[in-house]
Amino acid sequence: MVVTKEEVQALYKAHILPENNNPYHFEAKDNASTSLDAYNPMCGDKFQLHLNVKDDTFDTVHFHGFGCAISKASTSILLRKIEGISKVDAIALCEKFLKNLTEDNQVDEFDKELNTLIALKHFDGRIDCIKLPWEALLAHLMKG
Amino acid sequence: MVVTKEEVQALYKAHILPENNNPYHFEAKDNASTSLDAYNPMCGDKFQLHLNVKDDTFDTVHFHGFGCAISKASTSILLRKIEGISKVDAIALCEKFLKNLTEDNQVDEFDKELNTLIALKHFDGRIDCIKLPWEALLAHLMKG
Amino acid sequence: MLKNTKTYFPIFKKYPDLVYLDSAATTQRPKLVIDAINQFNSFENANIHRGVYDLSNSATKNFELAREKVAKYLGSTNPKTIAFTSGTTNSINIVASSFLRPRLNKDDNVVITLLDHHANFIPWQMLAKEKEAEFRVVPIDKNGNLDLTVLEKSLDQKTKFLSLNHISNSLGTTTDIGEIIALAHKKNIPVMIDAAQSIAYYDLDIHQLDYDFLAFSGHKMFGPFGIGVLYVAEKWMKNITPYNYGGGIIKDVTIEDTTFSDFPFNIEAGTPNISGVMGLSSAIDFIHKFDKKEMIQHISDLVNYCTDQLISIDKVKIIGNPENRSGIISFVVDGIHPHDVASFLNQDNIAVRAGMHCTQPLLAAMNTSATVRVSFSIYNERKEVDQLKNSLVELIKFWS
Amino acid sequence: MLKNTKTYFPIFKKYPDLVYLDSAATTQRPKLVIDAINQFNSFENANIHRGVYDLSNSATKNFELAREKVAKYLGSTNPKTIAFTSGTTNSINIVASSFLRPRLNKDDNVVITLLDHHANFIPWQMLAKEKEAEFRVVPIDKNGNLDLTVLEKSLDQKTKFLSLNHISNSLGTTTDIGEIIALAHKKNIPVMIDAAQSIAYYDLDIHQLDYDFLAFSGHKMFGPFGIGVLYVAEKWMKNITPYNYGGGIIKDVTIEDTTFSDFPFNIEAGTPNISGVMGLSSAIDFIHKFDKKEMIQHISDLVNYCTDQLISIDKVKIIGNPENRSGIISFVVDGIHPHDVASFLNQDNIAVRAGMHCTQPLLAAMNTSATVRVSFSIYNERKEVDQLKNSLVELIKFWS
Ligand SMILES: Cc1ncc(COP(=O)(O)O)c(C=O)c1O
Ligand SMILES: Cc1ncc(COP(=O)(O)O)c(C=O)c1O
């Protein structure tokens, strides 16, 4: 599926740029209970996720670092989604999101923001940018 | 230049097979003043040249070993040619022979036996078999 | 018997009289594979990974799809078990250097068999020398068979690795790798299979065979030169360190230090052979046109027929008589050097190989220093065996 | 300016609107090269060396003729100075492992420059670590130039090797390798040149430059993927030991020991990329259609024009301002990540690369973690630079 220039521009304008320009909790919080890197060595994008966990639930979460608009927007949206939910629910969310992102057809419904990210998978060559924080968080949570 | 089956068979019949069946001084003489290997690791052909040198001149020379009809005939002919000549003349002969063998056109004239070997260079893929003892001897003599 | 398989291969259109009996050296390329490479070079060419434009994206996608396809070809659902290399030789060297070197100590031993090709012989021999470990070469019987009880006895507590080929490229012996792997695993010994000669025709399902490492080359399975595969079982992936250092395999590079990606990416330093991967991928598509049992049946019929014909010629002696023979026969002609035999067969348009076939120790054990080798693939036919026989008979008459 | 060069390349027939500005990653392939590969795969395919039938003979002959052609391309009359490898990365690793490893001792040092690609960085860094030797990275000035007096000071009595690229694939800096090699040779230091970015356009005559080792890849000189070259000066040929072990590189193999052929044959273990060599050979024929001075002139004109256009755009900042720039420019756009820039340019059919270009330490020194890179070859035209500019201007407007 090819995405036209106009469609991409519309997606960027409506969702990615606002999120990129006003990312959620974009701040280095080095004293968080957990910190992890979301890093893509192929392109150099690297975000630190600072997660405060209480009773197996994500309390406040922040992130910081450097990356393209899509990876930054994706990280920002991810953080907004996991704040206040349990680790178990976060794992489920990451898995479900990544599944819909990777497979040809979207099978589950998400809210508008996540749908936008999934729609962008057809913007060729950028799927790794979308995936970046989701895969990093999932890998971290699966470790225990 | 393609050589026909008939031409090749004629060359073999007239020169190579007789030389192969009755090689010159085909005998291991381990007490010769110099011994060297003519070895092609690609195909496994390996002859030992046993050379008795007196006053910088090849006195009696023998060879022994295992190889195809062409390399055996070539070695046999080489030995016959160098017996009785000086090292310097042997170097000159090897160089001249190899030059005519390698270049597209034969420029010098040789006797019938050497001309046969040179004609066989057009028998594709066997030029290394012809070269084998000549190159080994030349390399040996050039070392001093 | 398979029918009309020559029509897939342009070379037989150009040379309808060519009797190509050297598929163990390299198979011919079907049009499907040639066209895939052509298509890529003409209209899809781009470097992969770090490009975000269409050509580079689709090259990257197809490259990774090829990895998935190769994994599936081995029955693996994890494409990350597959690294692209430049060939079987390269794949085996990587395992020797990267996996076994750090695990092999003085007085340990590494085991191969006398049937093995130099590619699966010298890397282990050199490593054993370097480490002052023992290099054990399991002998064969006079027919060219591996005796499993002898092999089993060669494996002991100090054995750190077993590597062997599935099919001998020299004698045609097919070894029972399933059983051998099970034997070795009982003693906790990892096993590498050199599948260069079997990958095109045999089912090498990882779930049935359970090998730890597997190596093969594109050019022996209807694919192009310059591309090969190294399979590494999931449990060993973490133990594979880089072989070449360079771009594309790194996590972080600073002046002080470098950290690397995980297998398989850490093995693919520099620009990979992308067009080669495309060719390999369509070689697998080509193979999928056929039923593997039928391919083996076809080749087996030719080999049996050929064996019968060769035996019927006075002065011809087949080297080795393995119980389970694949599409390969080595023989000698009394009084005529293999090189001369091959040259004369060439005059009749018959392409065979003569020499040591990169198995010098094996031929030494069989008391010969060179053989004529014929090898069959799916495009060969019985009448080509008849031509071989007629040429040999004529040659022997001429020579005597 | 060269004219109508696009017509040699099928990809521009299929995509007349493609603005391909990523030739530093890989050049496009001309029809001449594609056809040569096609011809070989279709009608000339055979393995080399140990076959004595026509197809194998002519493959072997053409393979060795290609070696001669590559040698001549470097001004060498000795084809045995040329080994075929899988690419620049592989060639450099061979020299590090095979030549320098046995010569490098504790407290020695090996010198490279900050301009170097990971392929010419990590192999030396890792070797230095292994040997507890010093890994010296010659710094650059803020414009991305090497200062020869700084470089000279980095070379001392403990320096066992200097390796550097001719052209930086990241900043486009062209270094004066002739002078640098002379400097090093005065101190008896062997020098390796990474010519990946210059081999297609520059005259690298061995008699003028006197390098000890040279590496390059086919795919950056209009040839195919999966093939590269390692040149080794005659005086060092004896010092090169095998890298991969396998068939085709041996003198004798017994169970006890193996002896090897000399360079270059000892480096070409296993079946080489024969079709790749044929492609490389015709890539050299293709280059010979042009005058190198005209190629450089053509590319230089484009680069100068492009630099002017980029400077004229507010918010665009070119990274590095080397005195001698080849056909490569790296830049950033204020507030827009290089990846986003590249993606949007792609929407306008402009193919550029974004990222670290396998030069992470260099970009770190230039205070950036990623750039957009445009690179030119003989098929590019001024109007493509205009398209690049227009797209960038539009993108910046859209983004703000
Ligand atoms: C300067 C330089 N050196 C080395 C390389 C590595 O070449 P390859 O990937 O073909 O091995 C490249 C290209 O990526 C390069 O630009
Ligand atoms: C059994 C076997 N192993 C290894 C090899 C080496 O394969 P390659 O030359 O493609 O690396 C071959 C083929 O020559 C072979 O037949």
Side-chain angles (χ1 to χ4, degrees):
Chain A
M1 186 174 140
V2 182
V3 183
T4 67
K5 185 173 170 183
E6 287 66 34
E7 284 169 335
V8 169
Q9 290 203 345
L11 282 174
Y12 260 73
K13 204 81 182 179
H15 304 283
I16 301 300
L17 287 185
E19 199 76 42
N20 181 60
N21 296 336
N22 294 295
Y24 184 69
H25 281 191
F26 190 70
E27 200 183 335
K29 288 276 190 189
D30 296 335
N31 55 352
S33 67
T34 311
S35 285
L36 63 115
D37 275 357
Y39 174 47
N40 180 350
M42 281 297 177
C43 62
D45 286 7
K46 193 186 245 170
F47 294 104
Q48 294 83 45
L49 312 191
H50 301 294
L51 315 170
N52 273 314
V53 183
K54 256 190 211 153
D55 302 332
D56 270 345
T57 293
F58 291 109
D59 192 23
T60 53
V61 293
H62 291 78
F63 80 114
H64 205 248
F66 176 79
C68 65
I70 294 183
S71 63
K72 196 168 174 186
S74 183
T75 312
S76 176
I77 292 170
L78 166 65
L79 288 208
R80 194 140 6 96
K81 299 296 166 206
I82 63 166
E83 218 171 58
I85 75 172
S86 71
K87 281 187 173 182
V88 173
D89 287 349
I91 290 178
L93 177 67
C94 288
E95 282 178 341
K96 190 170 136 192
F97 176 78
L98 286 168
K99 184 164 173 290
N100 281 274
L101 190 64
T102 334
E103 297 200 346
D104 278 352
N105 296 309
Q106 183 174 344
V107 290
D108 300 303
E109 267 309 304
F110 294 91
D111 62 18
K112 208 176 58 184
E113 288 171 318
L114 294 181
N115 278 337
T116 304
L117 286 181
I118 291 171
L120 267 174
K121 79 178 172 190
H122 298 295
F123 188 27
D124 253 346
R126 303 301 296 276
I127 194 166
D128 286 343
C129 313
I130 309 173
K131 273 184 192 172
L132 182 66
W134 299 81
E135 284 191 333
L137 179 63
L138 183 60
H140 174 80
L141 292 175
M142 297 303 273
K143 271 195 305 204
Chain B
M1 185 173 138
V2 182
V3 182
T4 67
K5 184 174 170 181
E6 287 66 33
E7 285 168 336
V8 169
Q9 291 203 344
L11 281 173
Y12 260 73
K13 202 84 183 179
H15 304 282
I16 300 301
L17 287 186
E19 198 77 43
N20 180 59
N21 296 336
N22 294 296
Y24 184 68
H25 282 190
F26 189 70
E27 199 183 336
K29 289 275 190 188
D30 296 335
N31 55 352
S33 67
T34 310
S35 284
L36 62 115
D37 275 357
Y39 174 47
N40 180 350
M42 281 298 178
C43 62
D45 285 7
K46 192 185 246 169
F47 294 104
Q48 292 85 43
L49 312 192
H50 300 294
L51 315 171
N52 274 313
V53 183
K54 256 191 212 153
D55 304 332
D56 270 345
T57 293
F58 291 108
D59 192 24
T60 52
V61 292
H62 291 79
F63 80 113
H64 205 248
F66 176 77
C68 65
I70 294 184
S71 63
K72 196 169 176 186
S74 183
T75 310
S76 176
I77 292 170
L78 166 66
L79 288 207
R80 195 143 5 98
K81 299 296 166 206
I82 63 167
E83 217 171 57
I85 74 173
S86 72
K87 280 187 174 183
V88 174
D89 288 349
I91 290 178
L93 177 67
C94 288
E95 282 177 342
K96 190 170 135 193
F97 176 78
L98 286 169
K99 183 164 172 290
N100 281 274
L101 190 66
T102 334
E103 296 200 346
D104 277 353
N105 296 310
Q106 182 173 344
V107 290
D108 300 303
E109 267 307 305
F110 295 89
D111 61 18
K112 208 176 58 182
E113 288 172 320
L114 294 181
N115 278 338
T116 304
L117 286 181
I118 290 171
L120 267 175
K121 77 178 171 189
H122 298 296
F123 189 28
D124 253 346
R126 303 301 297 276
I127 194 166
D128 287 342
C129 313
I130 310 174
K131 274 184 190 172
L132 181 67
W134 300 79
E135 285 192 333
L137 179 63
L138 183 61
H140 174 79
L141 293 174
M142 297 303 272
K143 270 193 306 200
Chain C
M1 298 285 286
L2 296 169
K3 286 251 161 19
N4 296 325
T5 36
K6 273 197 166 52
T7 56
Y8 293 104
F9 296 83
I11 201 160
F12 298 118
K13 253 177 216 149
K14 174 142 186 195
Y15 302 112
D17 295 335
L18 170 63
V19 179
Y20 186 74
L21 301 180
D22 197 22
S23 295
T26 197
T27 55
Q28 289 301 335
R29 319 289 186 248
K31 191 163 185 310
L32 186 76
V33 169
I34 297 166
D35 287 351
I37 295 167
N38 209 21
Q39 168 73 15
F40 180 85
N41 284 334
S42 299
F43 307 124
E44 300 169 6
N45 177 61
N47 210 325
I48 56 170
H49 291 331
R50 290 132 297 181
V52 290
Y53 51 89
D54 291 349
L55 286 170
S56 178
N57 283 330
S58 65
T60 307
K61 215 179 273 173
N62 291 332
F63 190 85
E64 294 305 326
L65 282 175
R67 198 191 298 280
E68 229 175 281
K69 195 185 285 178
V70 172
K72 276 203 193 114
Y73 188 71
L74 303 178
S76 163
T77 52
N78 183 355
K80 290 192 178 160
T81 54
I82 301 298
F84 291 115
T85 68
S86 64
T88 307
T89 303
N90 186 214
S91 296
I92 296 172
N93 276 273
I94 289 168
V95 175
S97 164
S98 168
F99 178 81
L100 190 58
R101 177 172 280 125
R103 307 164 77 87
L104 191 69
N105 297 309
K106 191 161 183 301
D107 302 328
D108 286 343
N109 64 71
V110 46
V111 179
I112 65 150
T113 84
L114 200 52
L115 290 170
D116 280 295
H117 186 278
H118 291 167
N120 195 38
F121 192 106
I122 313 175
W124 313 109
Q125 182 189 43
M126 290 292 131
L127 182 61
K129 239 184 224 311
E130 174 192 324
K131 294 289 191 171
E132 300 179 53
E134 190 191 339
F135 175 57
R136 278 191 193 161
V137 181
V138 181
I140 49 173
D141 68 19
K142 66 177 197 316
N143 293 321
N145 291 305
L146 265 187
D147 182 335
L148 292 207
T149 58
V150 175
L151 182 110
E152 189 172 12
K153 276 190 204 130
S154 307
L155 305 176
D156 60 29
Q157 293 201 326
K158 290 285 193 180
T159 304
K160 288 294 162 65
F161 205 78
L162 167 65
S163 190
L164 80 165
N165 64 29
H166 183 192
I167 290 174
S168 156
N169 69 302
S170 207
L171 303 190
T173 312
T174 309
T175 47
D176 187 347
I177 50 173
E179 194 150 333
I180 293 171
I181 292 166
L183 279 180
H185 280 180
K186 253 190 253 160
K187 302 187 182 185
N188 285 317
I189 301 164
V191 184
M192 172 150 206
I193 300 297
D194 168 0
Q197 291 298 340
S198 58
I199 189 69
Y201 316 113
Y202 287 74
D203 188 10
L204 296 171
D205 191 278
I206 178 64
H207 298 293
Q208 275 173 46
L209 295 172
D210 200 26
Y211 40 81
D212 300 275
F213 305 91
L214 185 92
F216 59 87
S217 300
H219 73 96
K220 294 193 203 273
M221 58 185 291
F222 312 111
F225 288 121
I227 188 72
V229 165
L230 170 61
Y231 164 89
V232 172
E234 281 177 358
K235 69 170 164 191
W236 301 121
M237 278 165 53
K238 287 275 170 215
N239 298 79
I240 300 284
T241 51
Y243 186 67
N244 283 312
Y245 295 110
I249 69 166
I250 60 110
K251 284 210 177 93
D252 258 310
V253 183
T254 65
I255 291 180
E256 292 72 35
D257 204 2
T258 296
T259 51
F260 298 99
S261 321
D262 297 329
F263 185 88
F265 307 108
N266 64 354
I267 288 304
E268 297 171 358
T271 304
N273 185 353
I274 305 168
S275 48
V277 167
M278 303 302 159
L280 175 64
S281 170
S282 52
I284 294 178
D285 295 342
F286 177 73
I287 291 171
H288 283 324
K289 287 178 181 287
F290 303 90
D291 180 66
K292 286 206 153 151
K293 288 207 187 70
E294 274 188 71
M295 291 203 279
I296 295 173
Q297 185 50 47
H298 179 91
I299 292 169
S300 168
D301 176 83
L302 290 169
V303 144
N304 292 337
Y305 183 62
C306 187
T307 311
D308 290 346
Q309 298 306 304
L310 289 175
I311 287 173
S312 77
I313 311 174
D314 231 29
K315 298 205 172 183
V316 167
K317 192 180 143 220
I318 295 179
I319 306 295
N321 181 24
E323 268 164 48
N324 222 322
R325 186 192 282 283
S326 74
I328 295 169
I329 308 174
S330 261
F331 64 90
V332 292
V333 183
D334 195 27
I336 315 180
H337 188 281
H339 240 152
D340 296 313
V341 175
S343 277
F344 273 81
L345 292 180
N346 178 50
Q347 298 293 319
D348 291 338
N349 273 316
I350 302 172
V352 302
R353 201 144 281 247
M356 308 194 284
H357 321 299
C358 295
T359 55
Q360 197 179 342
L362 171 58
L363 294 197
M366 301 301 282
N367 287 314
T368 175
S369 68
T371 75
V372 181
R373 182 186 72 182
V374 297
S375 51
F376 297 97
S377 187
I378 56 169
Y379 34 69
N380 292 117
E381 299 166 4
R382 270 186 177 226
K383 77 166 200 278
E384 296 175 323
V385 174
D386 297 330
Q387 287 173 266
L388 172 69
K389 180 182 175 177
N390 293 340
S391 281
L392 282 171
V393 168
E394 194 198 323
L395 164 63
I396 291 167
K397 210 188 313 169
F398 167 80
W399 206 271
S400 57
Chain D
M1 299 285 285
L2 297 169
K3 286 251 161 20
N4 296 327
T5 36
K6 272 197 167 52
T7 56
Y8 292 104
F9 296 84
I11 202 162
F12 298 119
K13 257 182 210 144
K14 173 142 186 192
Y15 303 111
D17 295 336
L18 170 63
V19 179
Y20 186 74
L21 300 179
D22 197 21
S23 295
T26 198
T27 54
Q28 288 302 334
R29 319 288 187 251
K31 190 161 184 311
L32 186 76
V33 169
I34 297 167
D35 288 351
I37 295 167
N38 209 20
Q39 169 74 15
F40 180 84
N41 283 335
S42 298
F43 306 124
E44 301 170 4
N45 177 63
N47 210 325
I48 56 171
H49 292 328
R50 290 134 296 183
V52 291
Y53 51 91
D54 291 349
L55 286 171
S56 178
N57 284 329
S58 65
T60 306
K61 215 179 271 173
N62 291 330
F63 190 85
E64 293 306 325
L65 283 174
R67 199 192 298 280
E68 230 176 281
K69 195 185 285 178
V70 171
K72 278 205 189 110
Y73 188 72
L74 302 178
S76 163
T77 51
N78 183 356
K80 290 191 179 161
T81 54
I82 301 298
F84 292 115
T85 68
S86 65
T88 307
T89 302
N90 186 214
S91 296
I92 296 171
N93 276 273
I94 290 169
V95 175
S97 163
S98 168
F99 177 80
L100 191 58
R101 176 172 281 127
R103 306 164 78 87
L104 191 70
N105 296 310
K106 193 161 181 301
D107 301 326
D108 286 343
N109 64 71
V110 46
V111 179
I112 65 150
T113 85
L114 200 51
L115 290 169
D116 280 296
H117 186 278
H118 291 167
N120 194 38
F121 192 107
I122 312 175
W124 314 110
Q125 181 189 42
M126 290 292 130
L127 182 60
K129 238 184 224 312
E130 175 191 323
K131 294 289 190 170
E132 298 179 54
E134 191 190 339
F135 175 57
R136 279 192 193 161
V137 181
V138 180
I140 49 173
D141 69 17
K142 67 179 196 314
N143 293 323
N145 291 306
L146 265 189
D147 182 335
L148 292 208
T149 57
V150 175
L151 181 110
E152 189 173 14
K153 275 189 205 133
S154 306
L155 306 175
D156 60 28
Q157 295 202 325
K158 289 285 193 180
T159 305
K160 287 294 162 64
F161 206 78
L162 168 64
S163 189
L164 79 166
N165 64 31
H166 183 194
I167 290 174
S168 155
N169 69 302
S170 206
L171 303 189
T173 311
T174 309
T175 47
D176 188 348
I177 50 172
E179 193 149 335
I180 293 171
I181 292 167
L183 278 179
H185 281 180
K186 253 189 252 160
K187 302 188 183 187
N188 285 316
I189 300 164
V191 184
M192 172 151 206
I193 300 297
D194 168 0
Q197 291 297 340
S198 58
I199 189 70
Y201 316 113
Y202 287 74
D203 189 9
L204 296 172
D205 192 278
I206 179 65
H207 298 292
Q208 277 173 45
L209 295 172
D210 199 28
Y211 39 81
D212 300 277
F213 304 91
L214 185 91
F216 58 88
S217 300
H219 73 96
K220 294 193 202 274
M221 57 184 293
F222 311 112
F225 288 121
I227 187 72
V229 165
L230 170 61
Y231 163 90
V232 172
E234 281 176 359
K235 69 170 162 191
W236 301 121
M237 277 164 53
K238 287 274 170 216
N239 298 80
I240 299 284
T241 51
Y243 187 67
N244 282 314
Y245 295 110
I249 68 167
I250 60 109
K251 284 211 177 92
D252 257 311
V253 183
T254 64
I255 290 179
E256 292 71 36
D257 204 2
T258 296
T259 52
F260 298 99
S261 321
D262 296 329
F263 185 87
F265 308 108
N266 63 355
I267 288 303
E268 296 171 358
T271 304
N273 185 353
I274 304 167
S275 48
V277 167
M278 303 304 159
L280 176 63
S281 170
S282 51
I284 293 179
D285 295 341
F286 176 74
I287 291 172
H288 284 323
K289 287 177 181 287
F290 302 91
D291 180 67
K292 286 207 156 156
K293 288 208 188 69
E294 274 189 71
M295 290 203 279
I296 294 173
Q297 186 50 47
H298 180 90
I299 291 169
S300 168
D301 176 84
L302 290 169
V303 143
N304 292 336
Y305 182 62
C306 187
T307 311
D308 290 347
Q309 298 306 305
L310 289 175
I311 287 173
S312 77
I313 310 174
D314 231 29
K315 300 206 169 181
V316 167
K317 194 179 142 220
I318 295 178
I319 305 296
N321 182 23
E323 269 165 44
N324 222 322
R325 186 192 282 283
S326 74
I328 295 169
I329 308 175
S330 261
F331 64 90
V332 292
V333 183
D334 195 27
I336 314 182
H337 189 281
H339 240 153
D340 296 313
V341 175
S343 276
F344 272 82
L345 292 179
N346 178 49
Q347 299 292 320
D348 291 338
N349 273 317
I350 302 172
V352 302
R353 201 144 281 248
M356 308 196 281
H357 321 299
C358 297
T359 55
Q360 197 178 342
L362 172 58
L363 294 197
M366 302 302 281
N367 286 315
T368 174
S369 67
T371 75
V372 181
R373 183 185 73 184
V374 298
S375 51
F376 297 98
S377 186
I378 55 169
Y379 34 68
N380 292 117
E381 299 166 4
R382 270 187 179 226
K383 77 165 201 279
E384 296 175 324
V385 174
D386 297 332
Q387 287 174 265
L388 172 68
K389 180 183 174 176
N390 293 340
S391 281
L392 282 172
V393 169
E394 194 197 321
L395 164 62
I396 292 167
K397 211 189 309 168
F398 168 79
W399 207 271
S400 58

